[in-house]
Amino acid sequence: MLLIHLNNVSKTFQLKGQSVEAVKNVDLDIEKGEVFGVVGYSGAGKSTLVRLLNLLETPTTGTVKIADYEMLNLSNRALRAARQEISMIFQHFNLLWSRTVHDNIAFPLEVAGVAKSERNARVEELINLVGLKGREDSYPSQLSGGQKQRVGIARALANDPKVLLCDEATSALDPKTTSSILELLHDINQKLGLTIVLITHEMPVIQKICSRVAVMEDGNVVEQGNVLDVFKHPQQEITRTFVRQVTDPDDANQAIEEQLREEKGTVIRLTFVGGDAGKPVVSELIRACDVTVNILQGNIAQTQNGSYGSLFVSIEGDEKQLQDAIAFLQGHQVEAEVISDA
């Protein structure tokens, strides 16, 4: 079921007498209950795009539809009601520092006029959901970054929204804490069926919990699709750069350069997708084609749609053996890209 639909959406700002196009003619569909990622570097337009979903920014052109709401046609009162179903969490938490964990989470319920007994029951439920039992009376200054973000998530869930917008929600966190917050978001998505739109500049974040992704550059969505498909066949250079954040180890290039200096073999990048990532293809290759294979570097990334493996090898053999080896790999659904010849 389609929950979010953007049609030809653009946003132009007027800055110092000049027009700046932050978002350009974006078409986007997001299904109910999915975790959808938007990835791009700073200035790509992704944060502006997410603010167009709840009309914190008004599109210059185009239409925004969320659930049954034609967002641009709503009165101010109706828009306030719609926004209760479209919650948001932020990079820097935006907590009320003079309020306890309990009172931060209760705040949107107070604004909505929920009775105190019902409010307290809901807050207790959310505290348990996000793993903050025992910290109800703590103030934000007494919490770690991960705990602060858990408060932010609980507060965003208070009014039982249909959509959770996450604008760089893990960027201020260390890798271990980031992983725990992403696991929490995935758990919430599974338990509540909540639709999550996740904005980030880090492809490992997309890889961990998103089912589909849109890649933004210079205000445009330049590529979108199933995460595993995007990993397998990135169409744009910016997408290939993001995919390499996950699939290519940092020291892979160094290992390849060292291999080239030794002038041995042909360096090939192998790509495995889905179940093929766990198969012993390299050992079968050695036996079938009588070649010497030296493994340089490798990595297997897990996505919500399956695994994606990348392996750099050096193959030694004559021209026919090399061609037979590539044909063997392709026959086993392994993509083989020649990086350099000996």
Side-chain angles (χ1 to χ4, degrees), residues 37-54:
V38 180
V39 65
Y41 289 119
S42 178
K46 59 190 186 298
S47 290
T48 300
L49 179 66
V50 78
R51 291 169 65 86
L52 293 170
L53 294 178
N54 56 7

Side-chain angles (χ1 to χ4, degrees), residues 207 226-228 231 272-275 277 300-309:
Q207 165 229 332
N226 178 290
V227 170
L228 192 60
F231 269 54
F272 308 78
V273 178
I300 293 180
Q302 298 297 327
T303 76
Q304 290 301 307
N305 308 109
S307 55
Y308 179 98

Side-chain angles (χ1 to χ4, degrees), residues 6 25-30 34 36-39 49 211-216 220-227 229-231 233-236 239:
L6 272 63
N25 308 116
V26 169
D27 295 318
L28 206 62
D29 289 331
I30 299 174
E34 77 169 319
F36 189 94
V38 180
V39 65
L49 179 66
S211 56
R212 291 195 300 133
V213 62
V215 182
M216 290 196 72
N220 297 290
V221 171
V222 296
E223 190 164 349
Q224 61 177 300
N226 178 290
V227 170
D229 291 339
V230 169
F231 269 54
H233 293 299
Q235 301 299 309
Q236 305 294 326
T239 311

Side-chain angles (χ1 to χ4, degrees), residues 173-191:
L173 306 175
D174 62 74
K176 184 177 180 180
T177 306
T178 291
S179 182
S180 70
I181 293 298
L182 293 176
E183 288 172 4
L184 173 62
L185 290 172
H186 179 260
D187 188 47
I188 289 169
N189 168 258
Q190 295 297 301
K191 287 181 177 178

Side-chain angles (χ1 to χ4, degrees), residues 200-340:
T200 183
H201 64 278
E202 299 173 306
M203 199 63 164
V205 171
I206 299 293
Q207 165 229 332
K208 192 168 182 67
I209 68 168
C210 295
S211 56
R212 291 195 300 133
V213 62
V215 182
M216 290 196 72
E217 184 179 28
D218 191 29
N220 297 290
V221 171
V222 296
E223 190 164 349
Q224 61 177 300
N226 178 290
V227 170
L228 192 60
D229 291 339
V230 169
F231 269 54
K232 184 178 179 182
H233 293 299
Q235 301 299 309
Q236 305 294 326
E237 181 56 36
I238 185 70
T239 311
R240 288 189 282 271
T241 299
F242 277 121
V243 169
R244 284 194 292 268
Q245 289 181 3
V246 176
T247 60
D248 294 356
D250 293 338
D251 52 356
N253 290 334
Q254 179 181 351
I256 293 168
E257 290 172 2
E258 290 174 356
Q259 184 70 23
L260 292 177
R261 283 196 293 269
E262 295 175 4
E263 298 183 356
K264 291 182 180 179
T266 298
V267 177
I268 296 178
R269 182 179 191 260
L270 309 182
T271 301
F272 308 78
V273 178
D276 295 323
K279 293 180 180 178
V281 175
V282 173
S283 58
E284 294 176 7
L285 169 68
I286 294 171
R287 289 194 296 268
C289 299
D290 192 26
V291 291
T292 298
V293 179
N294 180 24
I295 297 175
L296 304 179
Q297 291 288 345
N299 188 38
I300 293 180
Q302 298 297 327
T303 76
Q304 290 301 307
N305 308 109
S307 55
Y308 179 98
S310 177
L311 185 67
F312 290 88
V313 300
S314 174
I315 298 180
E316 295 181 39
D318 59 32
E319 183 65 26
K320 184 179 185 307
Q321 287 174 313
L322 179 62
Q323 294 302 319
D324 288 345
I326 291 175
F328 175 89
L329 291 166
Q330 292 173 341
H332 285 73
Q333 287 75 53
V334 177
E335 295 186 22
E337 176 188 0
V338 175
I339 301 299
S340 59

